[in-house]
């Protein structure tokens, strides 16, 4: 029954019970593991999405379990079909006081959207989160900063859906609404504040790196990339591959090694925000060649410009409206947005769910179209 070598070994070691136990245990474990794999499949199986020509290593690999597990916040998304307005219906701006945006909506659609915003942003607090007199049926006052901010965010959402179609609707009708960022929280996750310098014992470039922070994605790369690129509009670039090139680093004509590191910090943030790797946008053998990028590169580039505009035109201006506890710890700056604020680690926010299909009021700065 047993192999010859085992019989001989056993006859020479009649009192050694550990050896056979180990052999039997290992064999039994192997059989058990094989049975699990056959029954339930490979738990670490991967699948990949090809992003470039074959043979270039341009693919984004992910665990199959992750691919089959959608964003859990999608389950909590609230939506409601719009009411088709009838001719002659009274508008919200004529019914209620101090309606500065959305006043051209009918009463039914106005209240439908107000209810949705409550579910998207403050489901626990309810209407009183923005309206101090909600319990008494008074909604006109602007005494809460949250109402002022919400009004601004409505206009921002309309602007994004109308002016940044190339990013938020690059491949299909998707768009954004309040839930895209908030996910049922009053303050969206993954907002950021300026934190540099992160090393008070150093000066210059050394003061901005070699500290594991959330903005450096817990690497030694610079922690000021989001601020420099999204707020200060610094040019994104890496050093030239040639050993000697014409141009001055001091004059900004060519990128320095330090600027390259800052760019890598930003790109690393990009990758983690979308749950992808470098070749999602770039050809890994020619990062420097804009002629060999993928279509996603153009969408991402628009996203950078969009984030710059969102912060400059809509978020930074409301700093003086926000209370101290909503401001940053070092510079008392407003909480700012970037890629991860919407994407939350997924290639498409909420798996590419169309979040403006039922909300034409947020799809345009003009008169909504109901179909």
């Amino acid at each position: 029954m047993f192999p010859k070598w085992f019989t001989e070994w056993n006859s020479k070691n009649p009192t050694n019970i550990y050896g056979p136990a180990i052999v039997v245990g290992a064999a039994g474990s192997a059989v058990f593991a094989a049975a699990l794999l056959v029954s339930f499949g490979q738990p670490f199986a991967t699948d990949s999405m090809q992003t470039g020509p074959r043979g270039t290593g341009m693919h984004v690999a992910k665990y199959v379990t992750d691919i089959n597990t959608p964003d859990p916040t999608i389950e909590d998304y609230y939506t409601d079909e719009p009411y088709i307005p009838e001719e002659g219906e009274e508008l919200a701006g004529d019914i209620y006081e101090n309606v500065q945006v959305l006043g051209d909506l009918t009463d039914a659609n106005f209240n439908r959207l107000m209810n949705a915003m409550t579910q998207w942003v403050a489901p626990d607090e309810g209407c009183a989160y923005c309206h101090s007199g909600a319990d008494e049926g008074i909604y006109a006052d602007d005494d809460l900063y949250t109402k002022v901010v919400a009004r601004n965010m409505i206009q921002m959402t309309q602007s994004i859906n109308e002016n940044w179609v190339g990013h938020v609707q690059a491949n299909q009708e998707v768009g954004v609404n309040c839930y895209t960022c908030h996910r049922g929280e009053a303050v969206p996750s993954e907002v950021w504040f300026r934190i540099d310098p992160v090393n008070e014992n150093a000066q210059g470039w050394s003061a901005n790196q070699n500290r594991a922070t959330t903005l450096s994605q817990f690497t030694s790369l610079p922690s000021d990339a989001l601020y420099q690129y999204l707020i200060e509009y610094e040019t994104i670039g890496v050093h030239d591959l040639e050993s000697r090139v014409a141009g001055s680093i001091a004059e900004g004509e060519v990128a320095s090694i330090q600027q390259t590191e800052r760019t890598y910090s930003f790109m690393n943030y990009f990758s983690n925000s979308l749950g992808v790797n470098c070749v999602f946008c770039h050809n890994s053998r020619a990062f420097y060649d804009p002629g060999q990028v993928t279509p996603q590169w153009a969408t991402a580039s628009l996203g950078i410009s969009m984030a710059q505009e969102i912060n400059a035109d809509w978020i930074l201006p409301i700093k003086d409206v926000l209370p101290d506890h909503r401001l940053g710890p070092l510079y008392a700056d407003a909480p700012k947005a970037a890629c991860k604020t919407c994407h939350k680690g997924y290639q498409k926010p909420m798996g590419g769910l169309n979040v403006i299909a039922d909300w034409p009021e947020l799809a345009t700065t003009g008169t909504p179209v109901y179909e």
Side-chain angles (χ1 to χ4, degrees), residues 49 60 62 270-281 345-347:
M49 175 180 64
V60 177
K62 289 189 176 183
F270 240 113
S271 295
N272 290 327
S273 297
L274 276 66
V276 296
N277 57 29
C278 307
V279 297
F280 185 67
C281 292
Y346 292 88
Q347 179 187 334

Side-chain angles (χ1 to χ4, degrees), residues 40 70 105 114 136 144 173 178 181 186 209 230 239 255 268 272 276 283 295 300-301 304 307 319 323 325 366 371:
F40 301 102
L105 304 185
M114 291 296 104
E136 292 78 34
L144 293 182
E173 187 177 25
C178 314
C181 292
Q209 59 190 67
L230 298 184
H239 68 284
N268 189 38
N272 290 327
V276 296
N283 187 324
S301 297
I304 294 173
K319 172 184 177 295
H325 69 277
E371 298 178 344

Side-chain angles (χ1 to χ4, degrees), residues 51-294:
T51 59
R54 292 181 179 275
T56 61
M58 295 181 65
H59 66 276
V60 177
K62 289 189 176 183
Y63 289 119
V64 172
T65 52
D66 291 341
I67 296 174
N68 295 333
T69 304
D71 184 342
T73 61
I74 296 176
E75 294 182 359
D76 297 326
Y77 176 61
Y78 171 85
T79 192
D80 188 15
E81 292 184 0
Y83 302 105
I84 305 300
E86 296 182 1
E87 187 176 353
E89 278 195 72
E90 198 171 6
L91 302 181
D94 300 324
I95 300 173
Y96 305 108
E97 297 180 24
N98 194 24
V99 179
Q100 299 182 29
V101 296
L102 305 176
D104 57 345
L105 304 185
T106 62
D107 184 31
N109 282 317
F110 179 81
N111 285 296
R112 180 181 64 90
L113 181 55
M114 291 296 104
N115 178 57
M117 289 176 61
T118 302
Q119 301 300 320
W120 294 337
V121 177
D124 296 330
E125 296 85 349
C127 302
Y129 184 69
C130 289
H131 303 281
S132 60
D135 293 339
E136 292 78 34
I138 301 173
Y139 298 93
D141 295 341
D142 285 349
D143 52 341
L144 293 182
Y145 79 93
T146 47
K147 182 182 178 183
V148 179
V149 171
R151 185 182 288 141
N152 186 68
M153 293 295 100
I154 291 171
Q155 294 172 305
M156 179 192 74
T157 302
Q158 293 173 330
S159 175
I160 292 173
N161 286 320
E162 183 173 80
N163 299 320
W164 293 99
V165 174
H167 184 75
V168 299
Q169 299 189 47
N171 301 312
Q172 63 192 84
E173 187 177 25
V174 176
V176 298
N177 64 28
C178 314
Y179 193 78
T180 305
C181 292
H182 283 267
R183 310 294 174 98
E185 299 179 359
V187 178
S189 64
E190 307 300 343
V191 294
W192 61 277
F193 301 97
R194 184 183 178 188
I195 62 172
D196 61 281
V198 294
N199 186 353
E200 297 180 354
N201 297 320
Q203 295 292 326
W205 280 96
S206 297
N208 295 322
Q209 59 190 67
N210 299 322
R211 288 289 188 275
T213 68
T214 55
L215 295 190
S216 71
Q217 303 296 285
F218 301 102
T219 69
S220 62
L221 293 168
S223 294
D224 63 346
L226 293 185
Y227 180 78
Q228 293 298 331
Y229 293 133
L230 298 184
I231 305 301
E232 294 295 326
Y233 291 80
E234 180 175 314
T235 301
I236 300 172
V238 297
H239 68 284
D240 200 284
L241 294 181
E242 301 295 331
S243 58
R244 295 180 182 276
V245 294
S248 168
I249 290 178
E251 298 296 328
E253 296 171 339
V254 293
S256 66
I257 294 295
Q258 290 86 354
Q259 289 169 318
T260 300
E261 290 181 339
R262 179 182 283 160
T263 296
Y264 287 164
S265 178
F266 190 46
M267 294 298 104
N268 189 38
Y269 171 84
F270 240 113
S271 295
N272 290 327
S273 297
L274 276 66
V276 296
N277 57 29
C278 307
V279 297
F280 185 67
C281 292
H282 298 276
N283 187 324
S284 57
R285 67 175 182 79
F287 283 102
Y288 56 88
D289 187 354
Q292 299 188 49
V293 296
T294 70

